């Protein structure tokens, strides 16, 4: 299947500091593309992969599960680790959960974690219905483009494949179990109004990680897809400042532009 316009993966060869960006469930790299290009323009090496089953049509996602999505970001991280002296992981929504899982598994190889409106649990009745419902109906109505800014659209699926959603539930449980193994510096940004992920998810992450260096930022003017919303520039600036503090070579003339 051809990839939807705008949903293509993105890669930029920059300097010795690398950043892996992970997009969300039923979403695509398009939701993080401006962030990726912002970091690339400032000399960082950036990897923004397209997760298996995403960016084409929702039926393709029915055939994939969390193991496929995690394997793709793990592969991308290993590529960056071979190429860069320091690597950071970041993500939006489920991409935040993927970033946290990578941090818990790779330990000191990951220098820091940035998550935006991270999801950690499937909430409500849906969580209990999924094991049975996925065998009865293939999909349910999705929620894309939860964006306050007018005229901005997210490239993603308007249907949620239930087999994939069930796998997501299992993955969230794994990530939650591994949160105490997350020790890296953490920057967590979350919207005060989010129609997809409740604030309880961010609160749980902050209460369970073992990170000592933690910064929490509230995004007051954006909904769930904050990376395409009114607070996008704040997210980009905060993440660059966070990375720059932990990787002092960032921003110094001639230090991040070489191959």
């Amino acid at each position: 299947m051809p990839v939807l316009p705008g949903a293509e993966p993105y890669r930029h060869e920059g300097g010795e500091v690398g950043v892996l960006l992970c997009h969300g469930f039923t979403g695509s790299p398009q939701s993080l593309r401006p962030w990726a290009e912002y970091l690339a323009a400032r000399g960082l090496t950036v990897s923004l992969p397209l997760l298996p089953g995403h960016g084409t049509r929702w039926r393709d996602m029915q055939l994939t599960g969390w193991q496929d999505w995690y394997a793709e970001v793990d592969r991308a991280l290993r590529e960056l680790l071979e190429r860069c002296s320091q690597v950071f992981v970041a993500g939006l929504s489920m991409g935040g959960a993927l970033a946290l899982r990578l941090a818990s598994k790779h330990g000191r190889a990951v220098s820091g974690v940035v998550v935006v409106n991270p999801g950690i649990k499937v909430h409500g009745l849906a969580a209990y219905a999924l094991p049975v419902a996925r065998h009865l109906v293939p999909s349910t109505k999705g929620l894309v483009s939860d964006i306050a800014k007018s005229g901005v659209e997210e490239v993603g699926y308007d249907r949620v494949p239930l087999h994939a959603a069930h796998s997501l539930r299992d993955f969230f449980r794994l990530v939650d179990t591994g949160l105490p193994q997350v020790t890296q510096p953490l920057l967590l940004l979350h919207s005060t109004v989010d129609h997809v992920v409740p604030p309880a998810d961010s609160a749980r992450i902050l209460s369970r990680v073992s990170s000592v260096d933690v910064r929490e930022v509230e995004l007051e003017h954006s909904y769930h897809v904050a990376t395409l919303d009114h607070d996008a520039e704040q997210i980009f600036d905060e993440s660059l400042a966070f990375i720059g503090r932990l990787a002092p070579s960032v921003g110094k003339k001639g230090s991040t532009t070489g191959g």
Side-chain angles (χ1 to χ4, degrees):
M1 281 297 296
V3 174
L4 295 168
E8 304 86 2
Y10 175 83
R11 173 82 187 205
H12 174 78
E13 296 294 334
E16 62 185 27
V17 178
V19 183
L20 170 62
L21 297 175
C22 309
H23 70 75
F25 182 71
T26 72
S28 77
Q30 178 259 357
S31 62
L32 300 181
R33 183 67 177 258
W35 190 6
E37 291 177 343
Y38 172 96
L39 295 173
R42 283 148 186 85
L44 284 83
T45 292
V46 182
S47 178
L48 171 52
L50 172 63
L51 300 179
H54 292 71
T56 53
R57 55 180 189 169
W58 72 261
R59 290 173 185 82
D60 296 331
M61 200 176 167
Q62 278 284 65
L63 308 174
T64 67
W66 75 261
Q67 296 91 340
D68 303 297
W69 315 325
Y70 180 76
E72 179 60 21
V73 295
D74 186 73
R75 180 200 60 77
L77 174 60
R78 291 175 190 275
E79 279 188 0
L80 284 175
L81 290 171
E82 288 181 6
R83 162 78 174 73
C84 301
S85 61
Q86 279 186 270
V87 177
F88 295 80
V89 294
L92 167 70
S93 195
M94 177 189 77
L98 288 167
L100 289 163
R101 178 73 172 174
L102 288 169
S104 71
K105 287 297 185 181
H106 286 269
R108 292 183 180 179
V110 172
S111 293
V113 186
V114 183
V115 291
V116 180
N117 291 327
I120 199 73
K121 184 178 180 181
V122 175
H123 294 268
L125 291 173
Y128 301 98
L130 276 172
V132 174
R134 68 192 175 111
H135 297 294
L136 304 176
V137 291
S139 70
T140 187
K141 187 177 185 301
L143 181 58
V144 291
S145 297
D146 186 34
I147 300 169
K149 194 174 185 178
S150 61
V152 179
E153 295 290 325
E154 179 188 13
V155 175
Y157 299 150
D158 58 2
R159 305 292 299 176
V160 174
L162 293 190
H163 276 297
H166 184 260
S167 184
L168 175 67
R169 188 186 75 154
D170 292 342
F171 178 61
F172 279 166
R173 287 175 172 174
L174 270 180
V175 176
D176 185 63
T177 301
L179 285 176
Q181 278 72 60
V182 176
T183 59
Q184 297 90 342
L186 171 66
L187 171 62
L188 187 150
L189 307 101
H190 62 95
S191 301
T192 51
V193 178
D194 185 331
H195 304 99
V196 179
V197 174
D201 286 34
S202 287
R204 182 165 180 84
I205 291 166
L206 291 170
S207 71
R208 286 181 55 74
V209 295
S210 298
S211 307
V212 177
D213 182 347
V214 177
R215 175 165 164 76
E216 178 186 7
V217 177
E218 286 196 357
L219 306 171
E220 299 180 356
H221 309 290
S222 301
Y223 295 160
H224 183 63
V225 191
T227 48
L228 296 178
D229 216 329
H230 293 294
D231 296 305
E233 204 67 31
Q234 182 183 358
I235 294 168
F236 306 164
D237 290 344
E238 289 272 5
S239 65
L240 183 66
F242 173 79
I243 293 167
R245 178 169 61 82
L246 298 165
S249 65
V250 172
K252 290 183 180 175
K253 190 173 181 182
S255 61
T256 59
T257 54

